[in-house]
Amino acid sequence: MRVTTAFKRLLDLSGVTVTDVEFQPSKVVVTLKLRRRQLCCPECSFSTKARYDFRPVHSTWRHLDLGRWRLEVRASLRRISCPVHGVRTEGVPFARAGSHFTRDFENLVGWLATTMDKTAIRRLLRVDWDSVGRIIERVMATELDPRRLEGLFSIGVDEVSWRKGHSYLTLVSNHATGKFVWGKEGKDSARSTASSTSSARSAQKRSRRSRWTWAPPSRARRGPKVTPPKR
Ligand SMILES: [Zn+2]
């Protein structure tokens, strides 16, 4: 089996062909080529066969590590002229718009963010602090289930504080599923939550069985102090 074929199977990225694999002192660089001829806007569904020009430099993305090796994929991309977003580098099927990480890598960060703190993620995956925050924002923007507020009748509200009470985070959870469905920086949760989660509020109006319950503040697993809101 050729090394490019082996890496195509290992990476398991859709819509690409592996054309070259290079072992460098600190990382493995895999060169890809998009299989599709159609150019797609990274921001919307516009696509065309007409290319604007070629991007003069390679685009690179960090992929999931290969053992102790840091894995980087790169590709030479074209540019597209979108009637809405103007001239942009074409979108790729394996990474989100504007990201230097593959979708698989970002999804891993997003999942880890639900189970460990940001410092641990940063050290485990060897990414900087700001990148972790931006990745989580992108994952939230695209992967959050838009139906999570449907059938929401019984909720719990928690306020998490850190930095000695100077920063607060208000979290709303669905008692039926035990999952958080909404969150926002700041406190005064009862009022802000009621005004902001319009879907939850409309769901409450639709059913007489609906009830707003106050969940007893639970101490977060990783230690941030949880305090109940002031009435
Ligand atoms: Zn567009």
Side-chain angles (χ1 to χ4, degrees), residues 4-18 30 32 35 63-64 66 71 73 93-95 102-105:
T4 51
T5 306
F7 269 81
K8 184 181 182 324
R9 290 193 184 178
L10 282 171
L11 267 59
D12 196 23
L13 297 175
S14 61
V16 300
T17 302
V18 174
V30 179
L32 308 174
R35 282 208 298 266
H63 191 47
L64 300 169
L66 194 67
L71 190 57
V73 297
F94 55 83
T102 63
R103 192 180 297 271
D104 289 348
F105 187 94

Side-chain angles (χ1 to χ4, degrees), residues 11-47:
L11 267 59
D12 196 23
L13 297 175
S14 61
V16 300
T17 302
V18 174
T19 59
D20 189 37
V21 178
E22 182 184 353
F23 282 81
Q24 296 184 0
S26 60
K27 61 185 175 185
V28 178
V29 180
V30 179
T31 304
L32 308 174
K33 185 177 179 184
L34 293 183
R35 282 208 298 266
R36 70 185 180 204
R37 298 183 64 185
Q38 199 90 357
L39 288 82
C40 300
C41 174
E43 304 286 351
C44 65
S45 58
F46 175 75
S47 66

